[in-house]
Amino acid sequence: MEYLSDTGVPDMLLTRRPDIKEAEMMLAAADCDIKAARKAFYPGLRLGGAGGFNAFDIGRLFLAPASLAYEIAAGLTAPVFNAGKIRNEYSDALVRRDMAVNNYKETVVKAYSEVCGLIESSENIRERIDVKKEEMKIGKKATASANELFRMQFIGYLEVLAADRDYFECCESYIDLEIERMKLQADLYRALGGGGFPAEGTATAQ
């Protein structure tokens, strides 16, 4: 299984995106057009149609041999008379196929870039959260120390308030980072077509 990056997100998750599914269907439709155009190059014998013949009504085949010969001849010569039209249709089918291929490539590259960007942002926010957690530990110890020094009358109450303010501002920043991380996680979920996340143990934001 191929992976999108070292974070452990498999490439196959991209196929769950609606835009990639649409591009794949357009590509499949373009390939069908080419197959149909190719078949038009080859003449075919058909009993029936304007002549009213039925392949299983053998008796009627001998009632109008001229009509039969005409229809067979028409079936053989139709591609010759319509050669220009067939070539144009075939060329158009090739153009549609090329356009569908280019559209598919562009869609996949855009999806890949979007997911990679979200993964990188998620990893960056996790690093910032880890740093902020350490700051919170230090701030909590600072407030405890400030309160202890205040009880021992080594500092005034303003110093205690300042330590508490710094700690609460650090906690507020931590909450903002967690909210941002969860938004990125939701964006990544949508970017993967709402198809979920990789298994536990990856570096993706949990």
Side-chain angles (χ1 to χ4, degrees):
M1 180 182 297
E2 296 295 330
Y3 285 86
L4 191 64
S5 69
D6 294 337
T7 58
V9 179
D11 288 349
M12 62 175 294
L13 290 181
L14 288 177
T15 61
R16 298 176 179 178
R17 290 172 58 105
D19 54 348
I20 291 184
K21 285 184 177 181
E22 180 182 0
E24 287 178 346
M25 287 188 289
M26 292 176 63
L27 183 61
D31 285 339
C32 290
D33 287 344
I34 291 175
K35 292 178 182 178
R38 284 176 179 171
K39 288 183 180 179
F41 276 105
Y42 301 95
L45 297 177
R46 179 176 58 84
L47 299 180
F53 292 117
N54 189 302
F56 296 99
D57 192 1
I58 303 299
R60 295 189 59 188
L61 295 181
F62 298 96
L63 297 179
S67 298
L68 174 61
Y70 174 81
E71 186 164 348
I72 291 176
L76 288 172
T77 56
V80 176
F81 290 119
N82 296 326
K85 180 181 179 182
I86 292 172
R87 278 195 296 269
N88 291 336
E89 291 178 353
Y90 184 71
S91 298
D92 291 343
L94 290 176
V95 171
R96 287 193 296 271
R97 196 277 306 273
D98 291 340
M99 292 177 62
V101 170
N102 291 333
N103 178 67
Y104 179 74
K105 290 179 179 178
E106 291 176 0
T107 302
V108 171
V109 170
K110 180 181 178 181
Y112 187 89
S113 300
E114 179 183 357
V115 172
C116 284
L118 289 170
I119 290 174
E120 183 178 359
S121 297
S122 296
E123 292 175 344
N124 290 337
I125 203 71
R126 282 300 299 269
E127 293 177 358
R128 293 171 61 190
I129 287 174
D130 291 340
V131 172
K132 190 60 65 175
K133 284 181 178 179
E134 292 299 321
E135 292 180 2
M136 288 173 61
K137 291 179 181 179
I138 296 173
K140 189 174 183 179
K141 291 179 180 179
T143 57
S145 298
N147 280 283
E148 184 64 23
L149 292 172
F150 175 75
R151 283 192 293 269
M152 297 174 63
Q153 298 183 350
F154 284 112
I155 61 173
Y157 195 64
L158 290 178
E159 284 81 356
V160 175
L161 291 178
D164 289 341
R165 180 197 61 201
D166 292 341
Y167 174 66
F168 288 130
E169 287 179 353
C170 185
C171 291
E172 186 177 15
S173 297
Y174 169 76
I175 293 173
D176 291 339
L177 288 173
E178 281 290 354
I179 293 174
E180 186 177 351
R181 182 188 68 83
M182 287 186 286
K183 288 181 179 179
L184 285 171
Q185 190 175 31
D187 291 340
L188 179 59
Y189 185 88
R190 285 192 292 268
L192 293 171
F197 292 93
E200 295 182 0
T202 65
T204 307
Q206 300 293 328

